[in-house]
């Protein structure tokens, strides 16, 4: 369905740049946008907690994780930690939710 259509669209692909020329181009654009002239910056990183309900035992068994892995003590909520990197045009270059208790 929809997920497969999104995943098969090259324009929506989320892949951190491996080509040094593309990284240099993004770094130059960040330098242009920066009032303090950041150089060699190829992405902006941030994170957030994506709130979820408490996982049921079936989910925990299939994920091979304990319930505490999905609990954020600072926010006193269950969720997934999301970390993402964007380029100078605010396009996602990388997204990760593989570390639930970080």
């Amino acid at each position: 369905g929809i997920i497969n259509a999104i995943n098969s669209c090259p324009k929506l692909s989320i892949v951190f740049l491996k080509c040094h020329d593309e990284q240099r181009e993004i770094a130059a654009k960040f330098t242009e946008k920066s009032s303090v002239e950041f150089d060699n910056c190829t992405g902006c990183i941030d994170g957030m907690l994506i709130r979820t309900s408490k996982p049921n035992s079936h989910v925990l068994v299939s994920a091979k994780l304990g319930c505490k892995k999905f609990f954020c003590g600072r926010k006193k909520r269950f969720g997934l930690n999301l970390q993402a990197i964007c380029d100078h045009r605010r396009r996602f270059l990388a997204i990760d939710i593989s570390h639930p208790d970080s």
Side-chain angles (χ1 to χ4, degrees):
I2 294 172
I3 298 297
N4 290 335
I6 291 170
N7 288 339
S8 66
C9 180
K11 286 189 174 188
L12 298 176
S13 132
I14 299 173
V15 179
F16 194 78
L17 305 169
K18 294 180 181 173
C19 173
H20 289 286
D21 289 335
E22 291 175 326
Q23 292 172 357
R24 285 185 198 98
E25 182 182 331
I26 289 175
K29 296 295 183 183
F30 270 118
T31 302
E32 287 176 20
K33 288 180 173 262
S34 172
S35 62
V36 293
E37 298 181 11
F38 282 121
D39 60 351
N40 294 320
C41 176
T42 58
C44 294
I45 190 168
D46 200 359
M48 66 177 286
L49 181 72
I50 300 172
R51 288 179 63 179
T52 64
S53 56
K54 181 179 178 180
N56 64 39
S57 59
H58 176 71
V59 170
L60 296 173
V61 168
S62 66
K64 298 180 183 173
L65 295 170
C67 190
K68 291 181 181 179
K69 293 284 187 181
F70 294 93
F71 187 76
C72 177
R74 182 174 61 90
K75 295 194 176 190
K76 309 272 190 265
R77 302 195 187 292
F78 286 95
L80 295 170
N81 286 307
L82 174 131
Q83 178 179 305
I85 301 172
C86 291
D87 69 6
H88 62 287
R89 296 189 324 201
R90 300 182 188 131
R91 293 178 304 173
F92 286 107
L93 298 176
I95 295 175
D96 182 39
I97 60 166
S98 62
H99 303 284
D101 67 337
S102 13

